[in-house]
Amino acid sequence: MLNPCKSRMERRVVGSCNRWRFPKEPFSGDLLALSQMFKALNISLDEAQKNPGRLCISKIQKLLSEHLKNTGTASGEADVLLECLGLRWELHQPQLFQSATLANLYLMALMHRTKTSADTTMPCHVHGKTKEVPPVKKMIISLKINDPAVNRVAFALALKSLYMTNVEIKVDDLLGVLASAHILQSTHLFQRCVTMMMNELAPSTLKAFYLAACKYKEEQLTVACEKWLEMNLVPLMATQIYLRQVPQDLLLKVLKSPRLFTFSEFDLLKTLLMWAYLQLHTKIQTVPPHETMLAFFHSFPKKCCFLEREIGQDWMPLFLCLRLHNITSGKDLEELRHINFFPESWLVRVTASHYLTLENGGDMVHTRELSSQAMRFGLVFNQDYTTHSKIISLYGFFFEIKGIKHDASSYNFSMQRLKHTDRECLSLVCDYVTVSLKAERLVRYQIKAHTFVEGSWQQFKTNQITQKFGCNKPCCKSHVLKIQTVGSPIYASFVFIFPAS
């Protein structure tokens, strides 16, 4: 009776010859079979050594070991020793073939052994029996890594991922593991690192993740960094020292984006001024008070403004993205003149625009594009809020922008016109605030909301709406943006202009 536990040999076609093999075992160094496989695939050993890119790893891997995909952690002794980063790493063949780089190195080493010792590895037949080939020594392959992002811990995690599906990777190790995955050509691990980076974006990680995205031309991660900064530049980054690390090219893209969130134009301006200040003060470790920053820029000689100096000219494209005509507060405009940061011609143009608008009863004659010229205001609606609102005073008209939470995932965002005599406006009305007595105000507006849910940004918005706002209900209220989401916080943006009525 045959022993059921004993492996049975069966005849398989390998290349151009029939060979006796154990089909359930991985490739164990049968170099003659390897040579035949290359012939079957029309791959010359000499040519393959000169041009490893011609190796079709997936086909060779399938021919070498048909059970690789079903193998978990390898048992027994390692097949390969990898020399890398000053250490020797023991690897097993099934896992090794999950890395295109290691598979190439392994096959090249096998081809070299085939050329030098093929004669000694051929099986011998004695009286109808096959003499077992002596076990092949462990293959030693070498991989040189020059990327400073790769350290031993990160590389060990990358190799471990060849054996385990979900290796725990800490945020601090993500860059090194990503670089290791790129070198090993491990597509699955690389994409997993990219996905983790998209979910772990924060002030402290933004710069490193963005530079990695640019280095590896990973568009998905680049876009994720841009979208994250569009929402968080003013409400989050403006108050943290990590604002200094924001790359200038990324900042320019975000400033040009119509999705950029800000509480007001002046808040965006203060954030950009602080970024410039931090570029010039690389040793400070905390964000200074706003007054300290203003005093620094005011200290420069008054013969020319800061942006026209050599030190400020490189930042001119950033500040050209600002909509200075949307800063309407007399106090804020006086502050801009005091610090002598902008060219005088810019400030004169802004002042002239305000006078013209007031002369026309609030009509913004030179403002037509909602996406690139409109007034923009915003609210950050946190999870613990039930209502959140803000009063806006603009050319004598008063508006309230508001968000209301109805239940755990239902929100409404809207705006309404207020009378200057309403209780909410009393704190804003003083001797130097303009008040318009016009019964109606034509407004073109759009309400948008963004929130981050399960690795992607959700966007909700109304159409661009043109509406006459009166002082009494119901004509004092805008259309309502109703959204359903579990995301938090919600960044609600209100953009509008006063067209000629």
Side-chain angles (χ1 to χ4, degrees), residues 399-414:
F399 289 86
E400 179 185 33
I401 57 177
K402 190 173 186 178
I404 301 175
K405 182 179 181 180
H406 293 287
D407 55 47
S409 60
S410 179
Y411 302 84
N412 285 358
F413 294 95
S414 62

Side-chain angles (χ1 to χ4, degrees), residues 442-487:
L442 188 65
V443 181
R444 184 156 71 246
Y445 66 93
Q446 185 176 36
I447 304 173
K448 298 181 286 185
H450 296 82
T451 189
F452 192 72
V453 178
E454 296 180 353
S456 61
W457 286 95
Q458 290 182 342
Q459 175 178 288
F460 310 89
K461 61 181 180 179
T462 65
N463 295 323
Q464 293 189 12
I465 302 168
T466 302
Q467 175 184 339
K468 282 188 177 181
F469 282 81
C471 294
N472 300 309
K473 296 180 180 180
C475 60
C476 67
K477 292 189 175 183
S478 72
H479 288 237
V480 178
L481 174 63
K482 300 179 180 181
I483 69 173
Q484 295 282 336
T485 183
V486 295

Side-chain angles (χ1 to χ4, degrees), residues 27-311:
F27 177 72
S28 57
D30 190 341
L31 300 175
L32 181 58
L34 178 65
S35 175
Q36 293 167 352
M37 289 175 194
F38 282 131
K39 290 179 181 178
L41 292 171
N42 293 321
I43 298 175
S44 165
L45 290 179
D46 293 330
E47 288 298 319
Q49 285 180 318
K50 295 176 183 177
N51 184 15
R54 282 202 61 208
L55 296 178
C56 182
I57 300 299
S58 60
K59 291 182 180 179
I60 297 173
Q61 176 188 359
K62 185 176 180 181
L63 290 169
L64 289 177
S65 176
E66 60 188 6
H67 80 302
L68 291 181
K69 292 183 180 179
N70 300 323
T71 303
T73 55
S75 60
E77 224 178 314
D79 307 305
V80 179
L81 290 177
L82 171 64
E83 293 180 340
C84 186
L85 299 175
L87 295 176
R88 281 192 171 187
W89 313 78
E90 291 189 340
L91 298 175
H92 299 79
Q93 190 190 101
Q95 285 71 34
L96 178 143
F97 271 97
Q98 296 177 43
S99 162
T101 299
L102 298 182
N104 265 323
L105 291 173
Y106 181 60
L107 292 174
M108 292 295 293
L110 281 178
M111 287 188 291
H112 177 73
R113 182 179 289 184
T114 300
K115 294 189 69 176
T116 57
S117 59
D119 293 338
T120 62
T121 59
M122 293 180 64
C124 303
H125 297 270
V126 180
H127 301 294
K129 294 183 179 181
T130 303
K131 183 179 179 181
E132 288 193 12
V133 179
V136 181
K137 293 181 180 180
K138 286 183 182 179
M139 188 75 69
I140 299 177
I141 58 177
S142 297
L143 177 62
K144 187 176 182 180
I145 297 178
N146 297 319
D147 192 335
V150 180
N151 55 41
R152 291 178 177 178
V153 173
F155 192 70
L157 289 171
L159 293 179
K160 187 177 180 181
S161 70
L162 302 178
Y163 290 79
M164 298 173 63
T165 305
N166 293 314
V167 176
E168 182 181 355
I169 304 173
K170 297 180 181 178
V171 176
D172 292 341
D173 296 323
L174 268 175
L175 283 174
V177 177
L178 180 78
S180 300
H182 178 75
I183 291 169
L184 294 174
Q185 298 182 61
S186 177
T187 306
H188 173 75
L189 179 60
F190 187 88
Q191 189 55 48
R192 185 189 168 203
C193 289
V194 169
T195 302
M196 286 186 67
M197 287 177 169
M198 292 169 61
N199 289 317
E200 295 293 342
L201 282 168
S204 59
T205 62
L206 176 67
K207 178 183 178 181
F209 289 0
Y210 175 73
L211 294 179
C214 296
K215 177 180 179 180
Y216 300 116
K217 296 180 173 59
E218 187 58 41
E219 185 67 21
Q220 187 181 13
L221 182 55
T222 303
V223 172
C225 292
E226 293 172 6
K227 288 186 176 181
W228 185 91
L229 191 59
E230 286 168 1
M231 295 298 112
N232 291 286
L233 175 62
V234 175
L236 187 58
M237 294 293 287
T239 60
Q240 302 201 25
I241 196 65
Y242 297 109
L243 176 65
R244 175 167 54 209
Q245 299 179 0
V246 178
Q248 184 172 339
D249 63 322
L250 174 60
L251 187 58
L252 183 61
K253 290 179 186 177
V254 168
L255 290 172
K256 290 181 176 181
S257 171
R259 296 181 300 271
L260 174 62
F261 173 88
T262 182
F263 298 116
S264 69
E265 200 67 34
F266 192 64
D267 286 300
L268 179 59
L269 168 61
K270 289 192 295 183
T271 302
L272 198 52
L273 287 173
M274 185 59 72
W275 178 88
Y277 178 87
L278 293 175
Q279 303 307 303
L280 302 172
H281 296 80
T282 57
K283 294 184 179 180
I284 62 173
Q285 298 302 313
T286 58
V287 175
H290 180 64
E291 292 72 22
T292 302
M293 177 193 67
L294 295 180
F296 169 76
F297 289 120
H298 179 68
S299 66
F300 283 86
K302 301 299 183 288
K303 58 181 180 181
C304 72
C305 71
F306 181 85
L307 281 182
E308 290 178 336
R309 298 177 183 276
E310 183 178 356
I311 193 174

Side-chain angles (χ1 to χ4, degrees), residues 376-416:
R376 45 189 174 184
F377 299 91
L379 300 172
V380 175
F381 203 99
N382 293 319
Q383 192 171 18
D384 56 341
Y385 290 168
T386 53
T387 62
H388 186 35
S389 63
K390 179 180 178 181
I391 308 298
I392 297 167
S393 172
L394 196 61
Y395 297 124
F397 299 94
F398 298 87
F399 289 86
E400 179 185 33
I401 57 177
K402 190 173 186 178
I404 301 175
K405 182 179 181 180
H406 293 287
D407 55 47
S409 60
S410 179
Y411 302 84
N412 285 358
F413 294 95
S414 62
M415 56 187 284
Q416 68 173 359

